[in-house]
Amino acid sequence: MTAPLRVGIVGCGNVALNFHVPAYLAEPDRFAVTALADPTPERLELGRTITGLSPEQVHGDALALLARDDVDVVDVCTPQHLHRALVVAAAAAGKHILCEKPLAATPAAAAAMVAAAERAQVVLGVVHNYLFFPEIVAARELIDEGAIGEVRTVTVDMLGVVDSPGAAGYRPQWRHDPAAAGGGVLMDMLHGVYLAEHLLDEPVQRVSAYVDAATPGDAVEGLALCRLETARRAALVNIGWGFGSGGIRINGGKGRIVLRYRDEGTIPWAPFEALSLTTEAGTENLGLPAGRELVPLVAEALRATVADFAEAVTTGRPPAAPGRAALHTLEATVAAYTSAALGENVDIPLPVDGPVHRRGVTGLAELDVPATSGVRTRGLFGLTPHGS
């Protein structure tokens, strides 16, 4: 048996302490948490208490954690605008890296992270944990078996997303800051983007979208309606904060798959209820176990994510969501913002010398955004109405 991977976690926010730490502690044969870092003293002490580490194993400065020789894997759980410096430094230190989603706030930062990991020949995995939800696994297996023929369209509805604040000890509303978050509900829940592409089973090439603020005056969108096009297939991804409907539908040449959630709610806040397969033979409810509530469901998916990452490190195969795939997902998401601002289809990959590649949504200010654009008239992402 190989020795457990020694993990240093950077960031002791809610996601790290509620999900990442328990996932590692549940896999003692695969992992040992050996260090923590966070600039907020109360969060660092809370993390130390939960993990049972000594004061010498926790740091207010992440660079001190990266310098430790008892860390094999750095788990980055900070807000996304802080990912680049940490991942690049971790790769230079020869550490494998598991990074929370989204990979970065801008495509340029994400590309630099991917390049650094490839140069250092370390594994860079990203927490696209919804890939491990049981109903998603089952749906993809049906697609791979040819149960519905060739996939034609996918619709992912997530219009009942909860607007969760960050940890009180940091900046609780940082997800509403375009520069820090890189966007609003779509960026926060780009799970819908990678799930759509995963179920389409073809890479997205073009994006179009509409976005709007959840409340007047908000700097980021609370509603995003997106169309993702591949060479031969298309997906609709609709994401919003509020109490809208949820569910996933996959249409193929020979049938369809429908994933339903309690009260037509949004994954993962509404527990999974049923997966139905419809073909010319009729409709069959495949009878997957009833979905779990939010916390245990996400916890189990996180445990599957870190287990997959450990196997990638020890065997040399790619993780379920390698850095380059996560960069592609991020570009599709930023392309949606660009489309909404300009009112036109946007191809991906984005031009590397363009402002939205370099700066993400804050780069929209460098584009010729029409005066009639809803993004401009609503003051999203730092844009201002003409004449104001």
Side-chain angles (χ1 to χ4, degrees):
M1 179 181 294
T2 59
L5 293 169
R6 299 168 296 178
V7 179
I9 302 174
V10 180
C12 293
N14 295 331
V15 168
L17 300 190
N18 293 342
F19 297 108
H20 285 243
V21 168
Y24 292 125
L25 297 181
E27 297 278 354
D29 293 336
R30 296 179 188 265
F31 299 103
V33 177
T34 55
L36 298 174
D38 195 291
T40 308
E42 60 266 31
R43 297 300 301 186
L44 186 61
E45 178 59 22
L46 181 58
R48 190 190 72 78
T49 301
I50 292 171
T51 55
L53 298 181
S54 69
E56 293 73 28
Q57 291 175 289
V58 300
H59 307 277
D61 184 352
L63 294 180
L65 181 148
L66 297 181
R68 297 182 68 101
D69 58 9
D70 62 347
V71 170
D72 306 308
V73 171
V74 175
D75 185 346
V76 178
C77 291
T78 67
Q80 47 264 30
H81 69 294
L82 302 175
H83 288 177
R84 176 178 181 167
L86 292 167
V87 169
V88 170
K95 316 294 188 184
H96 300 292
I97 305 140
L98 182 64
C99 185
E100 256 296 340
K101 63 81 197 166
L103 182 56
T106 70
M113 294 156 63
V114 171
E118 290 177 349
R119 277 196 309 270
Q121 297 184 318
V122 297
V123 176
L124 171 58
V126 184
V127 181
H128 287 182
N129 52 312
Y130 287 23
L131 295 173
F132 295 97
F133 284 10
E135 69 272 24
I136 301 299
V137 173
R140 181 55 194 261
E141 288 176 349
L142 288 170
I143 292 168
D144 292 342
E145 292 166 5
I148 61 171
E150 182 177 340
V151 172
R152 300 177 65 190
T153 68
V154 172
T155 301
V156 178
D157 285 329
M158 296 180 169
L159 294 167
V161 174
V162 174
D163 184 6
S164 301
Y170 180 61
R171 292 174 52 199
Q173 297 303 314
W174 67 265
R175 288 188 177 90
H176 287 252
D177 177 351
V185 70
L186 181 63
M187 185 66 77
D188 186 38
M189 287 298 293
L190 54 62
H191 299 290
V193 177
Y194 70 71
L195 283 182
E197 187 170 51
H198 177 66
L199 297 170
L200 285 172
D201 197 26
E202 277 191 354
V204 172
Q205 298 179 350
R206 288 171 301 280
V207 180
S208 59
Y210 165 89
V211 303
D212 195 6
T215 57
D218 201 349
V220 297
E221 89 292 347
L223 174 69
L225 310 177
C226 311
R227 184 178 69 197
L228 314 177
E229 300 178 32
T230 74
R232 297 172 298 128
R233 304 169 186 176
L236 300 176
V237 176
N238 305 312
I239 301 180
W241 285 317
F243 300 94
S245 60
I248 298 174
R249 294 174 295 283
I250 308 151
N251 295 301
K254 297 180 180 179
R256 67 178 183 268
I257 298 166
V258 178
L259 306 182
R260 294 185 177 87
Y261 298 84
R262 182 184 297 168
D263 297 328
E264 302 298 322
T266 289
I267 175 177
W269 289 274
F272 169 75
E273 280 196 337
L275 184 157
S276 63
L277 169 65
T278 299
T279 65
E280 62 180 7
T283 298
E284 177 185 5
N285 189 328
L286 296 193
L288 288 177
R292 293 179 178 253
E293 300 293 333
L294 174 65
V295 171
L297 172 64
V298 176
E300 289 180 10
L302 224 305
R303 182 171 173 178
T305 300
V306 300
D308 169 81
F309 181 76
E311 188 173 339
V313 169
T314 55
T315 67
R317 66 153 176 81
R324 192 160 289 280
L327 167 60
H328 178 77
T329 297
L330 179 64
E331 286 206 87
T333 304
V334 174
Y337 294 129
T338 308
S339 170
L342 298 179
E344 60 188 40
N345 288 346
V346 175
D347 293 337
I348 53 174
L350 298 166
V352 296
D353 58 348
V356 293
H357 187 275
R358 290 184 285 105
R359 299 178 54 208
V361 291
T362 62
L364 293 173
E366 298 181 40
L367 300 180
D368 186 17
V369 177
T372 56
S373 167
V375 170
R376 180 177 292 284
T377 60
R378 294 174 178 86
L380 291 169
F381 315 130
L383 293 177
T384 57
H386 282 313
S388 64

